[in-house]
Amino acid sequence: MPRAFLIVMDSVGCGGAPDAAAFGDAGSNTLGHIAEACAAGRAEEGRSGPLRLPVLDALGLGRAIELASGLTAPGLGAEPSGRWGAATEVSKGKDTPSGHWELAGVPVPWDWHYFPDRCPAFPDDLTAEICRRAGTEGILGNRHASGTAVIEELGAEHVRTGWPICYTSADSVLQIAAHEEAFGLDRLLALCAGLAPTLHAMRVGRVIARPFTGAPGSFARTPNRRDYAIAPPAPTLLDIAAAAGRATHAIGKIGDIFSHRGIGQLHKGRDDAALFDRLDALADTAEEGALTFANFVEFDSLYGHRRDVSGYARALEWFDGRAGAFLARLRPGDMALFTADHGNDPTFRGTEHTRERVPVLIAGTGEGPLGLCAYADVAATVAAHLGLSNPGPGRALA
């Protein structure tokens, strides 16, 4: 039986979303603008020269960027040997759950709740509930913030007072940062788990525990992050595969995004390098007919939000090298589909996700254009390859 590997390069968009202006993101293009910056010598920290992605470009990455946005990305002009296209999202969000659920066949049927960009960002009754569950007299933050920046700014006060650091962003999310020793990891996880039902009832997509360690000047987030996500409103590709008796493997934060539904085995790691080790291992060991669903988050978390163009380019080039070795391990009949959940253009204003189309690159099913398609077409395509029923409204592409 054939196997399928669905691989999400978190935030690696390619511009051109027809509704980008409605999100304040007109003109954003994560891949295209990184390629332009590299070609112009504006991304020279830790790397140099034009963006080099020979493996992904051979699958059709350059063509996907041009199809999505009309931009011819410098250095990405290979003649494709894979299937390639660009997908457009219909869910009314540019966040992690929206993108992943729709890629898995379930567009979001509701409007997410977003906290306003002001201080305080959270309503008084929610703040009181956080304090009650945390056993504190107050919270720190209570505004939109970058996670690393807010920990650096408020970490010392947090350790001194014991008050949790609570913040949000343009995503539908409540994030709570706390020191693993001074506050306690188990206490933080219990706090977030206890709050999650309240937030989910408000249509807030995720409550995220953000533990950190260290001392002032050297605070650092740990790998013990935990997302408490609202459950998808209908069976996803993972649910369909599991119900059919197929092995399902989730790499990275896929388990959290899908509330651990439809997942047989969860594979975690300290960083994207460790997660790619898990992916390589599954190329060798995943069962016949298995679905492996992976997320590589560091493009987004380390480089997109921080508007680090050089870092993003380095991560893309590293990933491309690993992708080549991974593809060489696949068995005849396997499908590997590379895509993304949204954009996060590091050349764009602000620090948030950007509304973009995303590339769809398929290895193992021949070559040729797929055209413009829908996120849900990804799920339909993977399901058809595995001989499963279609979980959503999409159509199979290959």
Side-chain angles (χ1 to χ4, degrees):
M1 295 175 66
R3 305 181 302 171
F5 297 83
L6 175 52
I7 301 161
V8 176
M9 304 176 291
D10 203 302
S11 85
V12 183
C14 54
D19 57 357
F23 292 82
D25 295 331
S28 60
N29 189 331
T30 300
L31 280 165
H33 290 161
I34 291 170
E36 288 184 329
C38 291
R42 300 195 304 271
E44 298 288 304
E45 296 177 18
R47 61 164 309 281
S48 186
L51 186 63
R52 298 176 182 87
L53 304 174
V55 174
L56 296 176
D57 196 27
L59 293 178
L61 182 61
R63 297 289 183 88
I65 298 169
E66 187 170 6
L67 174 67
S69 64
L71 186 150
T72 301
L76 301 178
E79 186 67 26
S81 59
R83 307 298 304 274
W84 56 272
T88 305
E89 185 174 10
V90 299
S91 300
K92 296 178 181 179
K94 51 180 180 177
D95 49 60
T96 296
S98 296
H100 282 78
W101 291 1
E102 194 167 329
L103 290 169
V106 182
V108 179
W110 56 66
D111 290 336
W112 295 108
H113 178 81
Y114 300 95
F115 294 110
D117 190 3
R118 64 179 185 232
C119 186
F122 307 123
D124 290 345
D125 58 346
L126 176 58
T127 300
E129 177 70 1
I130 297 171
C131 292
R132 184 185 72 80
R133 289 185 175 273
T136 60
E137 296 181 357
I139 64 173
L140 303 175
N142 205 346
R143 55 183 168 82
H144 284 228
S146 161
T148 51
V150 80
I151 289 169
E152 181 178 348
E153 176 188 349
L154 298 175
E157 187 176 358
H158 160 72
V159 171
R160 179 178 60 82
T161 64
W163 292 9
I165 303 171
C166 302
Y167 60 102
T168 187
S169 69
D171 286 354
S172 178
V173 65
L174 166 64
Q175 304 199 59
I176 304 181
H179 197 281
E180 285 196 358
E181 288 83 30
F183 189 88
L185 177 60
D186 289 344
R187 182 183 174 199
L188 172 62
L189 298 180
L191 171 62
C192 292
L195 288 167
T198 298
L199 275 295
H200 296 166
M202 296 169 62
R203 297 300 191 206
V204 174
R206 289 178 293 165
V207 180
I208 303 179
R210 287 287 197 175
F212 64 96
T213 58
S218 61
F219 289 126
R221 296 198 295 204
T222 77
N224 294 320
R225 162 183 170 157
R226 179 72 185 270
D227 292 35
Y228 298 87
I230 190 171
T236 70
L237 177 63
L238 286 161
D239 295 312
I240 297 297
R246 304 298 182 86
T248 55
H249 299 273
I251 298 177
K253 63 179 185 177
I254 294 297
D256 291 336
I257 294 167
F258 289 91
S259 297
H260 298 273
R261 223 175 61 188
I263 293 168
Q265 293 189 50
L266 183 62
H267 307 265
K268 289 282 195 176
R270 290 186 60 86
D271 53 24
D272 277 4
L275 296 179
F276 222 120
D277 290 342
R278 307 290 186 271
L279 182 61
D280 283 342
L282 285 168
D284 296 334
T285 63
E287 303 85 345
E288 292 298 313
L291 169 64
T292 297
F293 198 163
N295 171 280
F296 291 90
V297 71
E298 290 181 352
F299 303 111
D300 186 56
S301 62
L302 297 185
Y303 309 113
H305 287 299
R306 300 180 190 184
R307 296 303 189 248
D308 181 351
V309 181
S310 293
Y312 210 129
R314 288 196 310 272
L316 286 167
E317 291 171 338
W318 166 82
F319 185 90
D320 191 80
R322 293 293 304 257
F326 161 72
L327 291 174
R329 306 171 85 112
L330 297 183
R331 304 170 190 166
D334 287 345
M335 167 192 280
L337 192 155
F338 297 87
T339 187
D341 54 341
H342 49 70
N344 200 344
D345 186 344
T347 74
F348 209 63
R349 62 181 174 271
T351 62
E352 303 297 345
H353 295 157
T354 43
R355 180 75 162 186
E356 302 179 37
R357 288 183 167 124
V358 298
V360 177
L361 311 174
I362 306 178
T365 64
E367 61 184 67
L370 301 168
L372 291 174
C373 59
Y375 274 39
D377 294 346
V378 169
T381 301
V382 174
H385 181 76
L386 293 174
L388 302 171
S389 60
N390 185 354
R395 60 183 179 87
L397 301 170

